[in-house]
C-alpha cells in the first residue's frame, strides 16, 4: 500500500505537474523546430527553441482578448478552467515511488472519473464561443472519447483485476515480482493509445486539428487559451504517468530509490509519446472508430479474460 504524504504535498503537486508539463512542451518545441529548420547549431539556439511555449503563453496573456458574437463567456471560462483542474485532481492518486497524495480505495475509478470531467471541459470550451469551428472540435473530442473510453476502461480494469484491487498502491505492490506490462501487453498498448486520445495528442489530435484552425481552442484567446492548452499538456503528463503504477511496476526496481524509478519510467513513456506524434499521421475519426470497435475492444476483452483466468487459478 502507498505511504501517505505530508499535507504540503497537496500544494506541491500542481507546481510539480506544471514544471513537468513545461519541460515536455519545451522538448516538443525543440523537436518541432528541428523538423522545420534542421538541427540547432548551438546550445543557445536550442534554449531559444525550448522557450517557445513559454514565450507563446506570455504573448497570449498580454494580448487583447477577443470574443465571438453571442459567446457564452461563463461557459467558456468553466470549460477552460476545468481542464487543468481535472488533470490535477486525477494526479492525486499517482504514487511517486510508493507515496501518493491520496491512496483512495477506489483510486482507479477516481482517475477514470476525472477523465470524464476532462470530456466535459473540452466540450464546454468548444460550445461556449458560439462558433462552428470550436463546436465541431468539441464534438470531435466527444466522438473520440466514446471510441477510446471502452477499451481504455477495460485496460485499466485489467490491471486492477490482476492486483485484485482498485487501490493504485496495491496495484503497484502486485508488480513487485513482475510488471503487468509483461503479462498484459495488449492492455498496456491499449492504455498508451487511449492516453494519447485522452490528451487529443499524436494521431488523435483531431479535436484540435489544423483543418479547424485549432478545433475546440479555435476561438480562445488570452488567459482562456493558456489554461486550455496548458491543461492539455497536464493531461498528457498525468495520463503518461499513470501508465507507470498501472503497468510498469511503479517505484519497483533495483538499486535506485522508488521515486527515482517512477521518474525514470515516466520520462521514458513521455519521450515515447512525444516521439510517436511525429511518426504517425492524424487518424480520421471514422477510421479510429472502426479500429476501436473492431480491433481494440475485442482485444481488451480477450486480455481481461486471460488475466481473470490466471487470477482465478492462483
Amino acid at each position: 500500500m502507498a505511504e501517505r504524504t505530508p499535507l504540503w504535498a497537496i500544494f506541491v503537486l500542481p507546481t510539480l505537474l506544471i514544471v513537468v508539463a513545461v519541460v515536455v512542451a519545451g522538448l516538443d518545441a525543440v523537436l518541432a523546430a528541428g523538423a522545420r529548420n534542421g538541427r540547432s547549431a548551438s546550445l543557445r539556439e536550442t534554449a531559444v527553441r525550448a522557450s517557445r511555449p513559454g514565450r507563446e503563453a506570455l504573448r497570449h496573456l498580454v494580448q487583447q482578448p477577443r470574443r465571438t458574437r453571442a459567446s457564452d463567456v461563463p461557459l467558456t471560462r468553466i470549460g477552460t478552467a476545468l481542464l487543468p483542474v481535472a488533470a490535477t485532481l486525477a494526479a492525486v492518486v499517482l504514487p511517486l515511488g510508493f507515496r501518493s497524495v491520496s491512496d483512495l480505495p477506489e483510486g482507479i475509478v477516481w482517475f477514470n472519473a476525472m477523465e470524464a470531467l476532462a470530456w466535459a471541459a473540452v466540450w464546454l470550451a468548444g460550445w461556449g464561443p458560439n462558433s462552428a469551428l470550436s463546436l465541431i472540435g468539441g464534438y470531435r473530442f466527444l466522438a473520440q472519447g466514446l471510441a477510446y473510453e471502452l477499451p481504455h476502461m477495460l485496460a485499466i480494469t485489467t490491471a486492477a483485476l490482476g492486483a485484485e484491487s482498485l487501490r493504485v498502491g496495491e496495484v503497484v505492490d502486485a508488480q513487485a515480482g513482475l510488471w503487468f506490462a509483461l503479462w498484459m501487453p495488449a492492455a498496456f498498448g491499449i492504455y498508451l493509445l487511449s492516453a494519447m486520445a485522452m490528451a487529443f495528442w499524436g494521431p488523435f489530435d483531431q479535436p484540435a486539428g489544423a483543418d479547424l484552425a485549432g478545433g475546440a481552442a479555435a476561438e480562445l484567446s488570452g488567459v482562456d487559451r493558456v489554461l486550455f492548452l496548458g491543461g492539455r499538456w497536464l493531461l498528457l503528463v498525468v495520463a503518461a504517468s499513470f501508465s507507470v503504477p498501472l503497468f510498469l511496476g511503479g517505484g519497483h526496481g533495483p538499486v535506485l530509490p522508488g521515486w527515482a524509478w517512477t521518474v525514470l519510467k515516466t520520462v521514458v513513456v513521455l519521450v515515447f509519446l512525444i516521439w510517436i506524434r511525429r511518426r504517425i499521421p492524424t487518424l480520421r475519426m471514422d477510421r479510429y472508430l472502426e479500429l476501436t470497435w473492431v480491433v481494440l475492444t475485442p482485444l481488451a476483452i480477450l486480455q481481461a479474460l486471460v488475466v481473470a483466468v490466471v487470477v482465478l487459478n492462483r
Side-chain angles (χ1 to χ4, degrees):
M1 184 181 297
E3 301 170 26
R4 284 210 159 187
T5 54
L7 189 61
W8 51 262
I10 297 173
F11 305 100
V12 170
L13 177 66
T15 307
L16 183 62
L17 287 176
I18 291 170
V19 169
V20 175
V22 168
V23 171
V24 174
L27 172 64
D28 183 62
V30 170
L31 293 178
R36 284 195 307 270
N37 308 319
R39 298 177 62 179
S40 59
S42 64
L43 281 176
R44 182 178 177 279
E45 187 178 356
T46 302
V48 170
R49 291 177 175 183
S51 66
R52 184 180 178 186
R55 288 184 278 118
E56 282 291 304
L58 288 175
R59 183 175 68 82
H60 287 302
L61 288 175
V62 299
Q63 75 176 175
Q64 181 72 27
R66 54 183 168 78
R67 295 274 179 269
T68 50
R69 180 173 295 181
S71 65
D72 191 328
V73 176
L75 203 64
T76 306
R77 287 271 163 84
I78 291 172
T80 53
L82 205 55
L83 198 58
V85 169
T88 305
L89 290 177
V92 300
V93 296
L94 276 174
L96 178 61
F98 303 101
R99 287 173 176 267
S100 59
V101 171
S102 178
D103 192 23
L104 296 171
E106 306 85 8
I108 288 179
V109 178
W110 171 266
F111 178 81
N112 204 223
M114 293 306 105
E115 288 182 69
L117 200 59
W119 282 28
V122 176
W123 187 78
L124 289 177
W127 176 278
N130 190 34
S131 162
L133 296 180
S134 63
L135 183 60
I136 293 172
Y139 274 118
R140 278 181 172 179
F141 188 69
L142 286 188
Q144 185 162 287
L146 291 172
Y148 83 73
E149 188 60 28
L150 187 56
H152 175 76
M153 286 177 61
L154 286 167
I156 62 177
T157 303
T158 301
L161 184 62
E164 300 180 61
S165 174
L166 290 170
R167 192 187 290 272
V168 179
E170 292 182 0
V171 174
V172 172
D173 291 342
Q175 300 174 73
L178 182 66
W179 296 358
F180 283 172
L182 298 177
W183 69 289
M184 304 177 190
F188 179 51
I190 289 169
Y191 178 83
L192 289 182
L193 284 175
S194 56
M196 286 189 283
M198 175 182 163
F200 41 110
W201 178 262
F204 309 109
D205 64 353
Q206 271 214 345
D211 58 328
L212 291 179
E219 305 295 349
L220 299 178
S221 62
V223 67
D224 294 331
R225 191 173 185 84
V226 172
L227 280 174
F228 185 84
L229 297 181
R232 183 193 190 189
W233 282 105
L234 290 178
L235 267 184
L236 181 70
V237 169
V238 172
S241 303
F242 204 59
S243 69
V244 174
L246 277 185
F247 295 103
L248 297 175
H252 290 294
V255 184
L256 298 176
W259 66 266
W261 276 112
T262 301
V263 171
L264 186 61
K265 293 170 185 176
T266 302
V267 168
V268 170
V269 174
L270 279 170
V271 169
F272 172 74
L273 296 186
I274 297 288
W275 171 80
I276 205 168
R277 181 191 190 190
R278 307 188 181 286
R279 292 293 179 272
I280 302 179
T282 299
L283 286 177
R284 262 176 35 196
M285 197 60 68
D286 57 326
R287 290 182 177 173
Y288 179 49
L289 289 172
E290 185 178 359
L291 173 71
T292 56
W293 288 109
V294 176
V295 179
L296 297 184
T297 301
L299 187 62
I301 293 173
L302 183 62
Q303 176 73 92
L305 286 174
V306 170
V307 173
V309 170
V310 172
V311 170
L312 287 173
N313 287 282
R314 277 177 180 168

